[in-house]
Amino acid sequence: MGGRSVLITGGNRGIGRSIAEHFIADGDKVAVTTRTGEAPEGALGVAADVTDAASVDAAFTQVEEAHGPVEVLIANAGITRDTLLLRMGEDDFTDVLDTNLTGAFRVLKRASKGMLKLRRGRVVLISSVVGLYGSPGQINYSASKSGLIGMARSLTRELGGRGITANVVAPGFVRSDMTDALDEATQKKYLESIPAGRFAETDDVARAVRWVASEEAAYISGAVIPVDGGLGMGH
């Protein structure tokens, strides 16, 4: 399966970077979008703002010229603006939706043109366990991540007969600089809610993404794959 044209939005750090590194290791031609164009070693970095359709189109054109039509799209770019409902301004809500949900729509629409011509494609939308069961202070983020599920399932019904699959990977708590900075008591509280007893590593998420984008998962579409150590069971 190596050698495919893969595009990952927000692929310069964290989960996105780990996903890029796994596809690079498989021999795929990997491009990542970032606001700066910074990319992991072995990947093509293209500057793009997923809230701007013209910027998205220019990025895809650059990737297509270098690697050919995008065969695997990983919509990973996202932001947070956490605050309680009564303190949340409309900009806090709409900015998160515009990046996390409408941004995914923009890259998905642009990628689908090439996938339809190829009559094949893999779409993986990076959601969150928060999109399944909610979280106080994250009405905007939770709504955006929940919306990705409807997007993947609607795409499956619309383009599933063209060799295109669309799935959602929903990480739980992932080890990061942010989780490492939490005090011991707070970390313990979070860990007690996770049956696996540990935070996810970015590689845990990347491996799930790589598999669902592979030929082995060719008959899986419209699925939500939790990578959360059992945190969101039943949701």
Side-chain angles (χ1 to χ4, degrees):
M1 290 301 294
R4 297 175 299 173
S5 175
V6 178
L7 177 60
I8 303 156
T9 64
N12 63 317
R13 59 189 176 86
I15 291 172
R17 187 181 189 92
S18 185
I19 292 170
E21 290 170 346
H22 277 259
F23 279 100
I24 291 167
D26 281 351
D28 288 309
K29 298 172 290 186
V30 176
V32 302
T33 71
T34 70
R35 290 183 178 272
T36 62
E38 180 189 355
E41 184 177 354
L44 170 67
V46 292
D49 179 354
V50 298
T51 67
D52 184 296
S55 176
V56 167
D57 182 61
F60 268 85
T61 299
Q62 189 177 343
V63 173
E64 289 162 351
E65 289 173 351
H67 294 164
V70 172
E71 300 164 78
V72 179
L73 173 68
I74 314 297
N76 170 72
I79 63 171
T80 58
R81 294 270 183 86
D82 296 353
T83 188
L84 296 174
L85 172 62
L86 295 181
R87 298 174 183 170
M88 186 176 292
E90 286 202 12
D91 286 347
D92 294 325
F93 188 85
T94 57
D95 287 352
V96 169
L97 267 288
D98 196 28
T99 298
N100 299 2
L101 184 58
T102 313
F105 160 76
R106 291 185 185 100
V107 296
L108 177 57
K109 182 177 180 180
R110 183 60 175 78
S112 67
K113 297 176 182 179
M115 292 180 181
L116 284 167
K117 290 180 181 178
L118 293 171
R119 295 191 66 82
R120 68 177 184 275
R122 297 284 186 270
V123 174
V124 185
L125 307 179
I126 306 302
S127 179
S128 168
V129 68
V130 169
L132 303 177
Y133 70 52
S135 175
Q138 290 192 306
I139 280 178
N140 47 5
Y141 185 75
S142 180
S144 71
K145 292 301 186 178
S146 179
L148 294 173
I149 298 170
M151 187 178 291
R153 290 177 173 171
S154 295
L155 182 71
T156 293
R157 295 191 183 279
E158 190 169 326
L159 300 181
R162 308 290 185 89
I164 299 169
T165 67
N167 292 288
V168 173
V169 170
F173 288 112
V174 178
R175 183 173 296 283
S176 64
D177 291 343
M178 183 178 69
T179 56
D180 288 343
L182 295 172
D183 61 73
E184 186 176 343
T186 302
Q187 287 200 32
K188 182 180 179 182
K189 177 183 175 183
Y190 286 151
L191 288 169
E192 286 174 348
S193 67
I194 303 170
R198 68 173 178 88
F199 295 125
E201 302 293 340
T202 57
D203 282 345
D204 292 319
V205 182
R207 283 190 286 266
V209 172
R210 181 180 60 180
W211 176 76
V212 82
S214 74
E215 189 60 29
E216 292 179 347
Y219 201 59
I220 297 173
S221 197
V224 179
I225 300 172
V227 185
D228 61 11
L231 175 63
M233 287 187 296
H235 293 277

